[in-house]
């Protein structure tokens, strides 16, 4: 069975300064469902009930048959939430997320699927509502079948669920994402990331995917690795922003995949040692990588530093430095995100 199961009514669960364990259940740790919708013949349960974890609480929901935590909102403050090695679906799948001064551990989601439908299962944490706020929080997401951290979408065209997520706010935080089957950090809509460190290594598709949700299918096929997202973005042309942020990318298939515009302001991006490309513009999409302020980006990879396929995909260095192994870099520099006094970047890489 479940640790806690609610279907149809309203249930709010609060853990205040305590310890709560819901491990090894046949189904899930906590599941909160108060509405149902049909998605291509599949009954999709969703909820805006609340799980609140606060004041030094220690919560674990691991080794369950489906989810650790499923469907409701999640609010966590000054606490630790560990959901690991859950089998059929995600470690955490919540509607809205507010995480402040906390630690979230979401490793090893197996994504084995349920009733033959793989869909988009196997994420460390999967947030599907219209509010995402992360401040002063560390999220550790490693070895998940799909993405480590998957933020911001609306399912199908269910207007009753709420408005489509427009902005994920992440600040003063740390994201450690490694060895995930798809991406380390997958942002479907736009994000404002400030004063944060992102460490993304050895992920199957990308260290970070700034996605616009434009690829639409009805299932996620684990066996064929059809890593597409069956969601529509509210603003496919929106801009994501890095402010005063440090990004370390290494050993991924691709460092950054862009389906939209990304502005890097006063940030350091060390994007080295990835298998295919440092930055790859999504095929057929309008996408821009833009640097401003004192941003320094170091890019090297086994393949191209930056790769695109159309004239709407631009690399704009308005200020700062882009270190790449091309003739347009002069002066003394290394791929280290540190700008030498005589370092000059002379032209865009495209």
């Amino acid at each position: 069975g479940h640790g806690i199961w609610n279907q149809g009514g309203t249930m709010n669960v609060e853990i205040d300064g305590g310890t709560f364990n819901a491990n090894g259940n046949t189904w899930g740790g906590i599941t909160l469902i108060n509405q149902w919708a049909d998605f291509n013949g599949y009954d999709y349960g969703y909820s805006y009930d609340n799980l609140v974890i606060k004041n030094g609480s220690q919560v674990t929901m691991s080794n369950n048959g489906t989810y650790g935590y499923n469907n409701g909102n999640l609010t966590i403050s000054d606490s630790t939430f560990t959901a690991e090695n859950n089998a059929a679906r995600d470690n955490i799948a919540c509607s809205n997320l507010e995480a402040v001064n906390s630690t979230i551990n979401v490793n090893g989601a197996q994504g084995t699927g349920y009733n033959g439908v793989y869909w988009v299962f196997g994420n460390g944490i999967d947030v599907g509502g219209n509010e995402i706020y992360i401040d002063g929080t560390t999220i550790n997401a490693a070895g998940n079948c799909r993405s480590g951290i998957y933020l911001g979408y609306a399912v199908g065209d269910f207007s009753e669920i709420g408005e489509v997520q427009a902005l994920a706010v992440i600040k003063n935080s740390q994201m450690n994402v490694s060895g995930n089957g798809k991406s380390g950090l997958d942002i479907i809509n736009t994000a404002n990331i400030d004063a944060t460190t992102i460490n993304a290594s050895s992920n199957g598709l990308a260290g970070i995917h700034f996605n616009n949700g434009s690829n639409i299918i009805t299932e996620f096929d684990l066996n064929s690795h059809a890593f597409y997202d069956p969601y529509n973005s509210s603003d496919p042309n929106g801009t994501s922003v890095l402010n005063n942020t440090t990004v370390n990318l290494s050993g991924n298939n691709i460092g950054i995949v862009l389906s939209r515009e990304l502005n890097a302001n006063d940030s350091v991006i060390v994007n080295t040692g990835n298998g295919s490309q440092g930055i790859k513009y999504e095929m057929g999409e309008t996408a821009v990588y833009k640097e401003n302020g004192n941003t320094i980006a170091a890019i090297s990879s086994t393949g191209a530093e930056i790769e695109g396929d159309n004239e709407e995909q631009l690399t704009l260095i308005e200020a700062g430095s882009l270190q790449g192994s091309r003739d347009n870099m002069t002066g003394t520099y290394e791929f280290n995100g540190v700008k030498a006094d005589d370092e000059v970047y002379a032209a865009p890489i495209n």
Side-chain angles (χ1 to χ4, degrees):
H2 295 262
I4 295 176
W5 163 266
N6 179 63
Q7 178 176 330
T10 297
M11 175 180 284
N12 295 312
V13 178
E14 182 174 293
I15 303 167
D16 185 353
T19 299
F20 178 88
N21 299 313
N23 304 318
N25 295 286
T26 305
W27 288 86
I30 293 180
T31 298
L32 303 176
I33 298 174
N34 59 22
Q35 298 183 66
W36 291 90
D38 180 83
F39 183 76
N40 291 346
Y42 176 76
D43 285 334
Y44 176 78
Y46 61 95
S47 168
Y48 285 112
D49 290 349
N50 299 288
L51 170 61
V52 177
I53 304 169
K54 62 184 183 179
N55 293 331
S57 293
Q58 301 286 324
V59 174
T60 62
M61 300 183 196
S62 299
N63 300 304
N64 296 292
T66 55
Y67 291 96
Y69 174 59
N70 182 22
N71 278 330
N73 298 322
L74 172 60
T75 300
I76 177 170
S77 60
D78 302 296
S79 297
T80 299
F81 186 4
T82 298
E84 298 178 327
N85 302 313
N86 293 290
R89 301 192 183 179
D90 303 314
N91 283 323
I92 296 175
C94 58
S95 298
N96 297 319
L97 172 66
E98 180 178 336
V100 178
N101 298 332
S102 295
T103 299
I104 299 174
N105 302 308
V106 281
N107 304 305
Q110 299 170 38
T112 55
Y114 175 66
N115 285 349
V117 180
Y118 291 104
W119 209 21
V120 289
F121 301 136
N123 300 292
I125 183 167
D126 183 340
V127 185
N130 59 358
E131 297 177 7
I132 299 171
Y133 181 82
I134 302 168
D135 185 7
T137 292
T138 297
I139 301 180
N140 301 307
N144 296 289
C145 170
R146 198 166 182 267
S147 291
I149 303 171
Y150 191 79
L151 301 178
Y153 61 83
V155 179
D157 187 26
F158 308 137
S159 58
E160 67 269 26
I161 294 178
E163 295 180 0
V164 177
Q165 159 67 20
L167 180 69
V169 175
I170 304 171
K171 60 183 183 179
N172 307 311
S173 295
Q174 182 163 320
M175 313 279 117
N176 301 313
V177 288
S178 63
N180 298 291
K182 184 177 181 262
S183 299
L185 176 58
D186 201 336
I187 299 173
I188 306 303
N189 292 83
T190 54
N192 190 335
I193 304 174
D194 183 65
T196 289
T197 298
I198 302 170
N199 300 310
S201 62
S202 304
N203 295 289
L205 174 62
I208 307 175
H209 191 178
F210 291 95
N211 202 331
N212 67 10
S214 62
N215 295 310
I216 300 173
I217 59 171
T218 58
E219 292 185 3
F220 164 57
D221 186 339
L222 182 68
N223 296 316
S224 69
H225 288 252
F227 287 126
Y228 294 99
D229 299 289
Y231 308 114
N232 289 308
S233 169
S234 61
D235 184 6
N237 299 312
T239 298
S240 287
V241 179
L242 302 176
N243 288 307
N244 191 30
T245 288
T246 299
V247 179
N248 298 306
L249 303 164
S250 64
N252 305 287
N253 183 33
I254 303 167
I256 296 174
V257 174
L258 282 178
S259 303
R260 58 172 67 251
E261 182 171 330
L262 172 63
N263 289 351
N265 303 314
D266 298 325
S267 295
V268 175
I269 303 170
V270 180
N271 184 354
T272 60
N274 297 294
S276 297
Q277 297 90 15
I279 295 176
K280 180 175 177 59
Y281 297 114
E282 192 95 59
M283 184 177 296
E285 300 288 349
T286 298
V288 176
Y289 171 74
K290 183 187 294 184
E291 284 188 18
N292 280 292
N294 295 315
T295 295
I296 301 171
I299 301 177
S300 66
S301 67
T302 303
E305 286 96 347
I306 300 176
E307 181 176 298
D309 72 344
N310 68 70
E311 62 184 12
E312 300 299 324
Q313 298 173 341
L314 304 175
T315 305
L316 304 175
I317 311 302
E318 297 185 347
S321 174
L322 176 60
Q323 299 170 344
S325 57
R326 300 292 181 93
D327 293 340
N328 46 19
M329 275 302 301
T330 63
T332 304
Y333 72 95
E334 297 178 2
F335 294 114
N336 58 6
V338 177
K339 190 176 186 300
D341 291 339
D342 62 346
E343 179 180 311
V344 175
Y345 176 75
I349 294 178
N350 259 337

